[in-house]
Amino acid sequence: LNSSRNVVGGDSNPKNLHAYGDVDDVGVNAKLQHPLGVHFVKHKNVVLVTDTYNHKIKVIDPFTNEIFSWLGDGNGSLKDGNAMSSEFSEPSGCYSLWVKDGADRDKLLVFVAD
C-alpha cells in the first residue's frame, strides 16, 4: 500500500489522541474506544469491529464511511442474545461464518472473543 485513509473514528487532526467515545455516525464524527478486532464480511461488503471499551460489535460500511452499533448493549457484562440484547465485556476479536439452516436459509454466525 502506498496510502491510507480514515474510514471512521479519530479526528481530522491525526495527532489528537483524545478523539474517542461511543458515537454511531459517519467518518470522523463517529467515535470508538479502543477498537481491537477487525473482520471483513465478504458476503455483505462490511467490516465488523470490536469496540472494546464500549462493549459492542459495530459494523462499518467502507463505501459510505458509516459505522453503527450492531451487537451488545454496552453494559459490560456477558449474556447471549440477539443484536442489542447480547452483552459483552471488552470484546477483543470476532469472526463470522455463513451457514445454511435446516430450511435452507442463510444465517450469519458471529463468534466473539471476550
Side-chain angles (χ1 to χ4, degrees):
L1 289 174
N2 294 333
S3 65
S4 63
R5 70 179 177 98
N6 184 332
V7 178
V8 296
D11 192 80
S12 57
N13 175 1
K15 294 182 179 182
N16 181 0
L17 301 179
H18 301 286
Y20 57 85
D22 185 11
V23 179
D24 295 345
D25 207 330
V26 177
V28 297
N29 293 324
K31 300 294 180 243
L32 300 105
Q33 190 166 353
H34 202 66
L36 288 178
V38 177
H39 172 70
F40 180 68
V41 182
K42 180 180 173 183
H43 292 82
K44 295 293 184 179
N45 284 325
V46 297
V47 177
L48 301 181
V49 62
T50 57
D51 193 0
T52 303
Y53 290 166
N54 289 319
H55 314 289
K56 295 179 180 181
I57 308 299
K58 294 189 177 187
V59 177
I60 299 171
D61 182 334
F63 301 101
T64 64
N65 295 350
E66 180 179 6
I67 190 168
F68 61 90
S69 299
W70 183 46
L71 300 172
D73 64 4
N75 285 330
S77 57
L78 298 173
K79 184 176 98 175
D80 290 337
N82 294 320
M84 299 307 282
S85 70
S86 58
E87 295 179 7
F88 306 104
S89 179
E90 297 185 8
S92 60
C94 64
Y95 70 95
S96 65
L97 180 66
W98 282 97
V99 297
K100 294 272 189 187
D101 69 7
D104 201 36
R105 295 177 295 221
D106 287 330
K107 298 282 184 178
L108 175 65
L109 301 178
V110 177
F111 301 89
V112 177
D114 225 15

